[in-house]
């Protein structure tokens, strides 16, 4: 990673091994032209790989990060994922957090290392995902993963038609309408 920006580098293959992305998702994006938002994409190694090697169109991918390290040629938004999210002007079929949820770090003096930080991220992402869309986060530690049943209850009060699944540091939120 580039220590100047505080980014760790994860190769695209890492995210496929962690099931952040799967061949089924890539196929869905390729066949149906669906939209992907990457939150905390940094220099966008994964997203560039999707374009150069996996046949996904650049226009299908929106990048976002808290600083302007993102490459040219993609639609991009600069914001802090733990704060207020912008109006993207559209909804996304997939929202991914590639090892970016930062739940064990201090952000602006606030500690997000518990399920409240994750709860807020999910709530924000649910407003930006299509009905029948999916939110995927890798790198979610087990001690937070254990809170997923509780998170599901809280989120379903606002979004009744969702399902949360967690295993091996991967959190998936399905929106079912």
């Amino acid at each position: 990673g580039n220590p100047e920006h505080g980014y760790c580098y994860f190769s695209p293959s890492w995210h496929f091994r962690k099931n952040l992305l799967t061949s089924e998702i890539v196929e869905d994006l390729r066949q149906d032209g669906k939209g992907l938002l990457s939150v905390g994409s940094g220099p966008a190694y994964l997203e560039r790989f999707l374009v150069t090697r996996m046949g996904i169109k650049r226009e299908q991918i929106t990048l976002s990060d808290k600083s302007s390290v993102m490459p040219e040629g993609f639609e991009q938004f600069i914001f802090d994922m733990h704060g207020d999210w912008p109006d993207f002007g559209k909804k996304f079929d997939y929202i991914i957090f590639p090892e970016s949820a930062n739940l064990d770090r201090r952000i602006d003096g606030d500690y997000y290392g518990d399920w409240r930080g994750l709860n807020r991220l999910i709530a924000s992402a649910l407003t930006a995902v299509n009905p029948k869309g999916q939110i995927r986060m890798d790198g979610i530690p087990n001690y937070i993963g254990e809170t997923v049943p509780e998170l599901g209850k809280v989120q379903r009060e606002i979004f009744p038609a969702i399902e949360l699944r967690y295993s091996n540091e991967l959190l998936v939120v399905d929106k079912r309408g």
Side-chain angles (χ1 to χ4, degrees), residues 15-160:
H15 296 297
F16 280 91
R17 274 202 309 277
K18 292 287 189 178
N19 285 323
L20 178 72
L21 290 174
T22 63
S23 52
E24 292 79 18
I25 292 170
V26 169
E27 196 57 26
D28 192 33
L29 287 164
R30 227 183 356 229
Q31 294 300 319
D32 297 328
K34 292 186 173 173
L36 172 85
L37 169 66
S38 181
V39 182
S41 53
Y45 298 114
L46 172 64
E47 298 77 9
R48 287 188 273 185
F49 175 82
L50 291 174
V51 171
T52 58
R53 297 291 175 85
M54 305 304 264
I56 293 166
K57 294 183 183 71
R58 207 171 271 269
E59 303 78 55
Q60 291 174 257
I61 300 174
T62 300
L63 305 178
S64 66
D65 207 282
K66 63 180 187 276
S67 62
S68 57
V69 296
M70 299 166 281
E72 294 297 308
F74 287 90
E75 180 179 39
Q76 49 186 259
F77 289 84
I78 297 175
F79 69 99
D80 177 351
M81 70 176 83
H82 293 286
D84 294 329
W85 283 34
D87 177 1
F88 297 102
K90 61 183 171 187
K91 305 270 188 204
F92 301 93
D93 301 290
Y94 295 98
I95 298 179
I96 61 169
F97 292 76
E99 290 280 346
S100 63
N102 288 340
L103 293 165
D104 56 350
R105 303 207 184 140
R106 285 187 184 278
I107 297 164
D108 299 333
D110 289 327
Y111 187 62
Y112 285 99
D114 60 16
W115 74 275
R116 284 180 307 239
L118 184 57
N119 189 44
R120 184 168 175 184
L121 277 185
I122 293 170
S124 298
L126 280 167
T127 64
V129 75
N130 272 329
K132 312 236 184 307
Q134 197 175 68
I135 300 159
R136 301 176 72 87
M137 304 176 174
D138 60 359
I140 302 298
N142 286 324
Y143 73 90
I144 294 177
E146 288 165 9
T147 67
V148 162
E150 191 180 345
L151 272 172
K153 272 192 292 220
V154 171
Q155 292 293 345
R156 276 189 291 274
E157 289 171 16
I158 312 157
F159 298 97

